[in-house]
Each structure stands twice: as structure tokens, then as C-alpha cells.
Amino acid sequence: MSIRPRISLITLGVRDLARARRFYETGLGWRPSSAGNDDVVFFQLAGGMGLGLFSRKSLAEDAHISDAGSGFGGITLAQNLASKAEVDRVIATAVAAGGTLLKAAEDVFWGGYSGYFADPDGHTWEIAWNPFFPLSEDGGITLP
């Protein structure tokens, strides 16, 4: 029996839940789900995925790992959009809402257009237009 590859939920450990919630609502325009509470916030994403925001300390405790450490964790989150103009708009809105610009959007070596920002907790986001990954109606990518 084979299990289909998928990611159902990405949970980000955040230092200040209220600040993080405001950033994702204001900076990216996402609506929180009613499934959340005072300790966790969920956002419904396209393609049946969800994003959770949870206290970094509580998340580390739940996973039985240390909360020590900072800096690049070897992972980026990405959102593909339908145009270069949308990439520029999303990055500008995220930075205006408290994100940190890491790399201004530009034409990139692989033939697309992308830039990077960090959310207020330092989670790295790539915002991209990729002509090689067509978008479905709900914004999901279609890999060749």
C-alpha cells in the first residue's frame, strides 16, 4: 500500500502569537480559521493545506526538542503567483506589515522571477512567478 505524498499542515513556531497573526492577516491578507484558539492560529491554504502558528516554546516542548538556536533553519516556504506584478505586490505588502526584505524580486537564473522576505519570526518566504509550474484554479502548482 502506497501513501500519496502530501503536506497537510505546516506549523510555524512563533515568539509572539498576536504579532504573527497580525502579520499573516495584514501582510498576506489571509483569513484565520475558526479552528484556532488563544494558543494556536490556523489558516486554510489552497489545495487542502493549512498553516498553523503556535508558540515556538510550546511547539519545541510538544516535539520534545530544544528551542535553542536561531538563524537559517535550512527551509523556505514559497508561494507561486501568476505574474511578476503579483510577486512585487505581495512582497511589498508583507514588508509594509513588518516583514523583512531579504532579496528584492528579480529575474532569476532558472527563468522565473522571485524575491524573499522573512516574517517577523524570521521564517523565510520566497514569492515567485515560475513559468514552468502552471497554476491551477486554486493556486496550486502543477509539476511537469
Side-chain angles (χ1 to χ4, degrees), residues 1-9 47-49 141 143:
M1 179 170 138
S2 157
I3 297 176
R4 291 181 63 192
R6 78 178 66 196
I7 295 174
S8 303
L9 180 70
M49 283 184 57
I141 62 170
L143 299 175

mmCIF file of all heavy atoms in Angstrom, residues 1-9 47-49 141 143:
data_model
loop_
_atom_site.group_PDB
_atom_site.id
_atom_site.type_symbol
_atom_site.label_atom_id
_atom_site.label_comp_id
_atom_site.label_asym_id
_atom_site.label_seq_id
_atom_site.Cartn_x
_atom_site.Cartn_y
_atom_site.Cartn_z
ATOM 1 N N MET A 1 0.841 -1.181 0.000
ATOM 2 C CA MET A 1 0.000 0.000 0.000
ATOM 3 C C MET A 1 0.885 1.243 0.000
ATOM 4 O O MET A 1 1.781 1.380 0.799
ATOM 5 C CB MET A 1 -0.902 -0.013 1.220
ATOM 6 C CG MET A 1 -1.790 1.176 1.323
ATOM 7 S SD MET A 1 -2.982 0.894 2.633
ATOM 8 C CE MET A 1 -2.994 2.460 3.382
ATOM 9 N N SER A 2 0.608 2.147 -0.890
ATOM 10 C CA SER A 2 1.384 3.363 -1.033
ATOM 11 C C SER A 2 0.588 4.547 -0.495
ATOM 12 O O SER A 2 -0.616 4.639 -0.700
ATOM 13 C CB SER A 2 1.708 3.536 -2.509
ATOM 14 O OG SER A 2 1.988 4.843 -2.825
ATOM 15 N N ILE A 3 1.275 5.438 0.182
ATOM 16 C CA ILE A 3 0.637 6.655 0.706
ATOM 17 C C ILE A 3 0.999 7.799 -0.225
ATOM 18 O O ILE A 3 2.167 7.980 -0.576
ATOM 19 C CB ILE A 3 1.108 6.950 2.145
ATOM 20 C CG1 ILE A 3 0.667 5.813 3.060
ATOM 21 C CG2 ILE A 3 0.573 8.291 2.618
ATOM 22 C CD1 ILE A 3 1.144 5.949 4.478
ATOM 23 N N ARG A 4 -0.004 8.565 -0.643
ATOM 24 C CA ARG A 4 0.235 9.693 -1.540
ATOM 25 C C ARG A 4 1.094 10.746 -0.858
ATOM 26 O O ARG A 4 0.850 11.105 0.297
ATOM 27 C CB ARG A 4 -1.092 10.336 -1.942
ATOM 28 C CG ARG A 4 -1.930 9.464 -2.838
ATOM 29 C CD ARG A 4 -3.206 10.126 -3.234
ATOM 30 N NE ARG A 4 -2.906 11.335 -4.012
ATOM 31 C CZ ARG A 4 -3.805 12.255 -4.304
ATOM 32 N NH1 ARG A 4 -5.043 12.135 -3.888
ATOM 33 N NH2 ARG A 4 -3.482 13.305 -5.013
ATOM 34 N N PRO A 5 2.109 11.275 -1.566
ATOM 35 C CA PRO A 5 2.928 12.324 -0.971
ATOM 36 C C PRO A 5 2.116 13.608 -0.809
ATOM 37 O O PRO A 5 1.441 14.033 -1.743
ATOM 38 C CB PRO A 5 4.067 12.519 -1.974
ATOM 39 C CG PRO A 5 3.656 11.842 -3.215
ATOM 40 C CD PRO A 5 2.545 10.892 -2.891
ATOM 41 N N ARG A 6 2.169 14.164 0.381
ATOM 42 C CA ARG A 6 1.453 15.413 0.627
ATOM 43 C C ARG A 6 1.939 16.045 1.920
ATOM 44 O O ARG A 6 2.482 15.377 2.784
ATOM 45 C CB ARG A 6 -0.050 15.196 0.697
ATOM 46 C CG ARG A 6 -0.510 14.611 2.037
ATOM 47 C CD ARG A 6 -1.977 14.443 2.123
ATOM 48 N NE ARG A 6 -2.349 13.440 1.166
ATOM 49 C CZ ARG A 6 -3.566 13.212 0.735
ATOM 50 N NH1 ARG A 6 -4.551 13.879 1.207
ATOM 51 N NH2 ARG A 6 -3.827 12.289 -0.142
ATOM 52 N N ILE A 7 1.724 17.314 2.024
ATOM 53 C CA ILE A 7 1.896 18.031 3.283
ATOM 54 C C ILE A 7 0.513 18.551 3.623
ATOM 55 O O ILE A 7 -0.119 19.254 2.832
ATOM 56 C CB ILE A 7 2.908 19.179 3.166
ATOM 57 C CG1 ILE A 7 4.297 18.614 2.871
ATOM 58 C CG2 ILE A 7 2.907 20.023 4.429
ATOM 59 C CD1 ILE A 7 5.342 19.677 2.599
ATOM 60 N N SER A 8 0.018 18.194 4.789
ATOM 61 C CA SER A 8 -1.313 18.614 5.205
ATOM 62 C C SER A 8 -1.288 19.941 5.950
ATOM 63 O O SER A 8 -2.173 20.774 5.777
ATOM 64 C CB SER A 8 -1.939 17.553 6.112
ATOM 65 O OG SER A 8 -1.980 16.321 5.455
ATOM 66 N N LEU A 9 -0.271 20.119 6.798
ATOM 67 C CA LEU A 9 -0.218 21.295 7.660
ATOM 68 C C LEU A 9 1.236 21.647 7.918
ATOM 69 O O LEU A 9 2.045 20.767 8.213
ATOM 70 C CB LEU A 9 -0.924 21.003 8.988
ATOM 71 C CG LEU A 9 -0.982 22.113 10.019
ATOM 72 C CD1 LEU A 9 -1.904 23.236 9.568
ATOM 73 C CD2 LEU A 9 -1.465 21.567 11.358
ATOM 74 N N GLY A 47 -5.462 23.970 -2.044
ATOM 75 C CA GLY A 47 -5.046 22.584 -2.215
ATOM 76 C C GLY A 47 -5.232 21.724 -0.980
ATOM 77 O O GLY A 47 -4.599 20.676 -0.849
ATOM 78 N N GLY A 48 -6.074 22.164 -0.051
ATOM 79 C CA GLY A 48 -6.343 21.372 1.137
ATOM 80 C C GLY A 48 -5.249 21.413 2.185
ATOM 81 O O GLY A 48 -5.233 20.591 3.095
ATOM 82 N N MET A 49 -4.343 22.367 2.091
ATOM 83 C CA MET A 49 -3.285 22.508 3.092
ATOM 84 C C MET A 49 -3.661 23.563 4.120
ATOM 85 O O MET A 49 -4.513 24.415 3.863
ATOM 86 C CB MET A 49 -1.967 22.935 2.436
ATOM 87 C CG MET A 49 -1.252 21.828 1.725
ATOM 88 S SD MET A 49 0.349 22.383 1.075
ATOM 89 C CE MET A 49 1.175 22.972 2.530
ATOM 90 N N ILE A 141 0.382 24.457 -7.641
ATOM 91 C CA ILE A 141 1.290 24.284 -8.774
ATOM 92 C C ILE A 141 1.093 22.923 -9.418
ATOM 93 O O ILE A 141 0.633 21.977 -8.774
ATOM 94 C CB ILE A 141 2.777 24.451 -8.374
ATOM 95 C CG1 ILE A 141 3.207 23.399 -7.343
ATOM 96 C CG2 ILE A 141 3.039 25.852 -7.849
ATOM 97 C CD1 ILE A 141 4.709 23.356 -7.098
ATOM 98 N N LEU A 143 3.465 20.315 -11.305
ATOM 99 C CA LEU A 143 4.826 19.990 -11.687
ATOM 100 C C LEU A 143 4.841 19.203 -12.991
ATOM 101 O O LEU A 143 3.973 18.370 -13.222
ATOM 102 C CB LEU A 143 5.513 19.176 -10.583
ATOM 103 C CG LEU A 143 5.649 19.872 -9.240
ATOM 104 C CD1 LEU A 143 6.235 18.928 -8.203
ATOM 105 C CD2 LEU A 143 6.504 21.125 -9.356
#
